[in-house]
Amino acid sequence: MSADRPGEGLGAGASSDGPGDSMWQSSPPGSLYDYVKVASFSIGPDGLVDQWSLRAESIFGIPAERALGMDPIAAFVAPDLHERGQRKMAEILDGREWTGVIPVRMPDAEGTEGLAEVYVMPTTTKDGERAAVCIVVDVRTLRSIETDVAASQSIFGQSPFAFLLIDTDMRVRRANQRFASTFGGPPDEHRGRGVHDYLPPSEAERVSATLRRVLETGESITDMNVTGFVPGSDERRHWSINLYRVHSGTGRPIGIAWLGTDVTARRAAAREAAAARRNLALLNDAGARIGNSLDLETTARELLDVVVPGFCDLATVDLYQGLLVGDETPPGLADGSAELRRVAFASAVSDAPFVGGPAPVALGAVHHYPFNSPCADALRMARPQHIPAEDGGLIQSTLAVPMVAHDTVVGLVQFSRTKGSEPFGERDRALAMELASRAAVCIDNARLYRREHERALILQRSLLPPGDPEASGLDIACRYLPGNAATEVGGDWFDVIELPGHRTALVVGDVMGRGLRAAVAMGELRTAVRTLALLDLEPAEVLSALDEIARGLGTQGGIQQASRTAARQPRDKDLSEVYLATCVYVVYDSVTRRCTFANAGHLPPVLVEPGESALMLDVPPGMPLGVGGEPFEEVEVDLPEGALLALYTDGLVESRDHPLDEGLQAFVGALTDPSQPLEDVCDHVLNTLDTHHGEDDIALLMARVQGLPADSVGDWTLAREPRSVGRAREYARGQLQAWDLEPLVDTTELLVSELVTNALRYGEGEIRLRLLLDRTLVCEVWDAGLVQPRRRRARDTDEGGRGLQLVGLLSAAWGSRRTPRGKTVWFELPLPDGESGLTDPAEALLSLF
């Protein structure tokens, strides 16, 4: 018999099954016999082995020469089963089949027994005698194949993924239940189908090309995204596909394994997460870029820089016109019809139209929305509104979102997306509201800041001298420069105060700190300085009194409380810092051209004498106002005619770019030509120095000395005797006639008589009379007495006591001041100019009774 080589035949292919064993094959590799070891032998009529195949020799480990003539029962059946085996052999030779498992010695492991399954089939010889053919299979191999098949069936059938086996013709060879449950029908119905039966044409072409590439190259595909639809649903589904080539045991490609899972929900979640991350990034960007400016229109443009094109394709911002012009009333009307101004527009699309309203609104235009329009509804209800797209237009979707800050609508922002972009959804609506709200808060804060800043500036400007100050014997020019637009108001101030006797007080000060409190403190100190100056105190006394006032302003309870608690407890830190100030106080006498300086921690004055270089005056700086405890020193300097005096604050000479010393030297160096007009000198200084740093306010006060001419002064000394009253009248009359001031003679004589009489009656020492002519006529009477005159109301029965009342009635102003050697009583009369008339002395006398 020749059953020892199953599948044997003529062919071009061959494969080896073991050492020294070969087999000719005409079929492709991958036959079952490549996996299962099958051998055969035959039994003759005598019950002995008469043929033994090479495969049998391999399985049983018995060579043919030994096997031929061997009793198979004795060789393979246990001794206690020999009798039964003989009966079975007899039955087989009598024409019955038998199948059984017998133990065998395995040739690949010495001393190890295995199992072989034997199938015995009756046959006959050519002589008609009974014989048998035995087919032997290695049970170990069979069990392995059974296990592999069972495992394959479990994996394929029980897999939670869609599993396909696609053959080399790109047809489904096998599908599992998961795949069938997705696309309908039992698994067997999908046999023979192609990818075009499941996917749209373009997607099917792409997948088919990928399958062919995997089959040809053997390269696996991992996480390939495939998009399509399932039967009975219009929802687009997404699958993640893994492809790999499947081979036979001999390595022959037999198809492609398709392992797929539905990732539609995962992709939706990923899109949600990506959108959330994008929105969060957009909000972070908005927080960083919106509100960096205190300008309303700049803030609106910053919003559009954030949202275009990251959130929309076009956007506009409209703000209420009342808000932009500083109207204090609520910015919008309740019905949403108030005027708005288009302050910002941005587009990521070239030649895109302006959006909003039935007609395009140009940038900068003032307009209003119709009452029944979506934009008016958004403003009126403070809720976003969707604006339908126009047929045939570029815009696909528009959101009109009110800009709400602190329960107040300040404007409207419109976000638009063009056709081809994704329409706005609920998430976009919420994001648009958040972006508009952030911008609205910044705009409202800028509005509030601008309002408060303007109020502070108004306050500060109101406390500074209006226009160009004038003073006797001085040519004055001044400059005040606030910091940049974003800088708060400060506490710098300057003042020019006219004093009796054609004297002038020049003041420059700087309250430490910034903001409205500093400006208020500056106003309080400036008022205090003017009050103290009008008392005609010496400069050092003015600063000492001002120091007490500053300490009182910085302490609850005022000056007395400050003096009581200074030694016991520290003052409120914020208040004490606000009311610390530096100040330089100068009194100029136009008759003597003498300046008396006192300094409270301020920068030194700069003096430029004709033909000389500028220099900083050595004035002891003293302690700042509000510190207390140290007296202030005075320095007197006689100034030549034409000398230039400059007072300033530290904002002029100090910045972060250079130290104070360099700034002072630059300021001194800029005063090179004091003979130029003072306005030009001021401009030259400001242009030369770095005055645009915006770190502090700048105050600059310049005064050029123009002393009172000698022929404008009349000065006489009178003896302490009654006839000095008549002599004083004569001196006054003669001087006024010399000055061509005849209209003032009678009034002046009368008032001079009263003052000299009072000096004789209540004063001490010699008497001095002085007349000064400048923009007004001033009369001064000096004596050595320390008792100040006091004006009182005389009774009808009194014979005297009406002199000072008469002085007050007839003069423009009068007063008294202490001097180093007594006191001075003075009055002032306006010069006759045809506009202001003098009071008739007779009428004034009658009015006293």
Side-chain angles (χ1 to χ4, degrees), residues 227-303:
T227 304
F229 301 90
V230 297
S233 175
D234 294 333
E235 180 186 2
R236 184 179 295 273
R237 307 300 292 270
H238 299 271
W239 295 277
S240 175
I241 306 300
N242 297 317
L243 304 173
Y244 58 92
R245 191 169 69 181
V246 179
H247 306 83
S248 66
T250 59
R252 177 174 62 88
I254 61 174
I256 302 168
W258 170 302
L259 184 64
T261 181
D262 193 329
V263 294
T264 303
R266 188 173 72 189
R267 284 177 62 89
R271 286 197 303 270
E272 292 286 335
R277 288 193 299 271
R278 183 176 62 251
N279 292 351
L280 181 60
L282 196 65
L283 289 175
N284 288 337
D285 191 27
R289 299 174 60 184
I290 299 176
N292 294 320
S293 170
L294 291 172
D295 180 73
L296 278 67
E297 298 183 12
T298 301
T299 303
R301 288 193 294 269
E302 289 171 348
L303 169 63

Side-chain angles (χ1 to χ4, degrees), residues 465-476 496-498 504 506 775:
D468 295 327
E470 294 183 356
S472 176
L474 291 176
D475 181 14
I476 295 177
V496 177
I497 308 169
E498 291 190 81
T504 304
L506 304 176
R775 291 175 297 134

Side-chain angles (χ1 to χ4, degrees), residues 513-756:
R514 304 202 58 78
L516 186 59
R517 295 183 66 188
V520 171
M522 176 269 284
E524 292 176 322
L525 293 178
R526 177 177 180 268
T527 302
V529 169
R530 295 189 70 88
T531 302
L532 294 171
L534 294 178
L535 294 177
D536 218 349
L537 301 177
E538 296 297 322
E541 293 178 318
V542 170
L543 293 186
S544 296
L546 196 62
D547 177 64
E548 292 291 334
I549 293 173
R551 285 192 290 159
L553 293 175
T555 305
Q556 295 182 357
I559 299 175
Q560 294 182 356
Q561 181 68 20
S563 61
R564 288 197 299 265
T565 60
R568 297 200 306 267
Q569 61 184 12
R571 293 152 51 194
D572 181 88
K573 181 179 179 181
D574 293 337
L575 288 172
S576 63
E577 288 182 354
V578 167
Y579 288 104
L580 286 177
T582 64
C583 180
V584 59
Y585 186 86
V586 183
V587 173
Y588 169 72
D589 189 334
S590 62
V591 179
T592 62
R593 294 198 301 272
R594 176 174 297 167
C595 274
T596 304
F597 297 88
N599 192 355
H602 203 79
L603 296 175
V606 175
L607 176 64
V608 186
E609 296 186 0
E612 302 291 339
S613 299
L615 57 89
M616 289 183 287
L617 293 178
D618 186 13
V619 179
M623 299 299 292
L625 301 176
V627 175
E630 294 292 334
F632 297 97
E633 300 182 41
E634 291 183 355
V635 173
E636 292 187 350
V637 178
D638 291 330
L639 304 180
E641 186 76 14
L644 178 64
L645 181 66
L647 307 178
Y648 52 96
T649 57
D650 56 1
L652 180 67
V653 295
E654 186 177 22
S655 73
R656 294 187 182 94
D657 298 332
H658 54 74
L660 177 62
D661 291 344
E662 291 184 8
L664 288 172
Q665 293 301 324
F667 177 46
V668 171
L671 297 174
T672 55
D673 190 4
S675 62
Q676 295 291 324
L678 275 188
E679 297 293 335
D680 295 343
V681 175
C682 288
D683 293 337
H684 174 71
V685 168
L686 296 181
N687 293 331
T688 302
L689 301 182
D690 178 20
T691 58
H692 302 289
H693 50 73
E695 297 172 14
D696 197 1
D697 293 349
I698 295 173
L700 174 63
L701 177 62
M702 289 189 175
R704 178 177 287 120
V705 173
Q706 296 176 345
L708 203 61
D711 57 4
S712 296
V713 179
D715 197 349
W716 305 272
T717 301
L718 302 173
R720 177 163 289 279
E721 55 186 14
R723 60 180 180 179
S724 293
V725 176
R727 190 175 294 114
R729 287 199 299 268
E730 293 176 2
Y731 292 152
R733 183 188 311 111
Q735 187 63 67
L736 292 181
Q737 291 174 346
W739 288 338
D740 294 329
L741 296 178
E742 290 290 343
L744 300 182
V745 170
D746 292 341
T747 301
T748 304
E749 282 189 6
L750 178 59
L751 298 184
V752 165
S753 297
E754 291 294 334
L755 295 187
V756 173

Side-chain angles (χ1 to χ4, degrees), residues 733-804:
R733 183 188 311 111
Q735 187 63 67
L736 292 181
Q737 291 174 346
W739 288 338
D740 294 329
L741 296 178
E742 290 290 343
L744 300 182
V745 170
D746 292 341
T747 301
T748 304
E749 282 189 6
L750 178 59
L751 298 184
V752 165
S753 297
E754 291 294 334
L755 295 187
V756 173
T757 300
N758 284 343
L760 288 172
R761 181 176 299 177
Y762 306 109
E764 299 178 4
E766 65 179 6
I767 301 171
R768 185 179 177 186
L769 172 65
R770 188 168 73 168
L771 294 179
L772 306 175
L773 176 63
D774 192 40
R775 291 175 297 134
T776 62
L777 175 67
V778 174
C779 175
E780 298 177 334
V781 176
W782 299 359
D783 68 80
L786 298 177
V787 179
Q788 297 291 325
R790 182 172 62 88
R791 181 178 177 181
R792 65 181 180 86
R793 180 173 295 277
R795 293 188 297 270
D796 293 342
T797 58
D798 291 342
E799 296 182 358
R802 297 180 178 83
L804 293 181

Side-chain angles (χ1 to χ4, degrees), residues 7-278:
E8 183 178 2
L10 296 177
S15 95
S16 62
D17 196 33
D21 194 13
S22 63
M23 178 175 65
W24 294 88
Q25 290 181 263
S26 60
S27 62
S31 169
L32 179 64
Y33 295 104
D34 292 338
Y35 301 97
V36 182
K37 293 183 179 180
V38 180
S40 65
F41 64 91
S42 61
I43 301 174
D46 56 1
L48 302 178
V49 176
D50 62 356
Q51 287 189 9
W52 190 258
S53 69
L54 293 177
R55 288 285 182 91
E57 181 178 335
S58 173
I59 292 176
F60 293 106
I62 301 175
E65 60 266 18
R66 188 180 129 196
L68 292 176
M70 182 177 61
D71 182 356
I73 301 301
F76 301 118
V77 178
D80 57 339
L81 299 177
H82 279 184
E83 183 178 354
R84 184 178 176 186
Q86 291 297 339
R87 287 197 305 269
K88 290 292 184 182
M89 182 58 70
E91 292 175 355
I92 292 170
L93 294 177
D94 195 31
R96 298 182 65 178
E97 296 182 354
W98 177 80
T99 301
V101 177
I102 61 174
V104 296
R105 182 179 62 83
M106 305 305 294
D108 57 347
E110 186 175 355
T112 302
E113 290 189 351
L115 294 177
E117 187 174 77
V118 182
Y119 180 35
V120 185
M121 297 172 291
T123 187
T124 57
T125 65
K126 62 182 179 178
D127 297 331
E129 296 181 294
R130 298 289 180 94
V133 174
C134 299
I135 304 297
V136 182
V137 178
D138 184 355
V139 174
R140 184 178 59 178
T141 304
L142 279 178
R143 297 294 181 267
S144 176
I145 292 175
E146 288 176 355
T147 302
D148 291 345
V149 172
S152 176
Q153 290 284 11
S154 299
I155 295 173
F156 196 86
Q158 300 174 20
S159 171
F161 307 109
F163 215 149
L164 293 179
L165 179 61
I166 300 175
D167 61 19
T168 55
D169 294 328
M170 302 293 111
R171 295 291 173 181
V172 175
R173 183 74 174 177
R174 190 175 179 185
N176 72 343
Q177 184 59 42
R178 182 72 176 189
F179 182 87
S181 64
T182 301
F183 288 94
D188 290 342
E189 284 189 3
H190 295 276
R191 191 185 304 271
R193 293 183 180 179
V195 293
H196 287 81
D197 296 318
Y198 304 103
L199 300 175
S202 59
E203 190 76 342
E205 289 294 333
R206 182 177 70 89
V207 175
S208 296
T210 304
L211 291 172
R212 286 190 293 269
R213 186 170 70 252
V214 171
L215 185 63
E216 292 171 0
T217 64
E219 295 179 356
S220 300
I221 299 296
T222 303
D223 198 22
M224 173 184 174
N225 182 64
V226 176
T227 304
F229 301 90
V230 297
S233 175
D234 294 333
E235 180 186 2
R236 184 179 295 273
R237 307 300 292 270
H238 299 271
W239 295 277
S240 175
I241 306 300
N242 297 317
L243 304 173
Y244 58 92
R245 191 169 69 181
V246 179
H247 306 83
S248 66
T250 59
R252 177 174 62 88
I254 61 174
I256 302 168
W258 170 302
L259 184 64
T261 181
D262 193 329
V263 294
T264 303
R266 188 173 72 189
R267 284 177 62 89
R271 286 197 303 270
E272 292 286 335
R277 288 193 299 271
R278 183 176 62 251

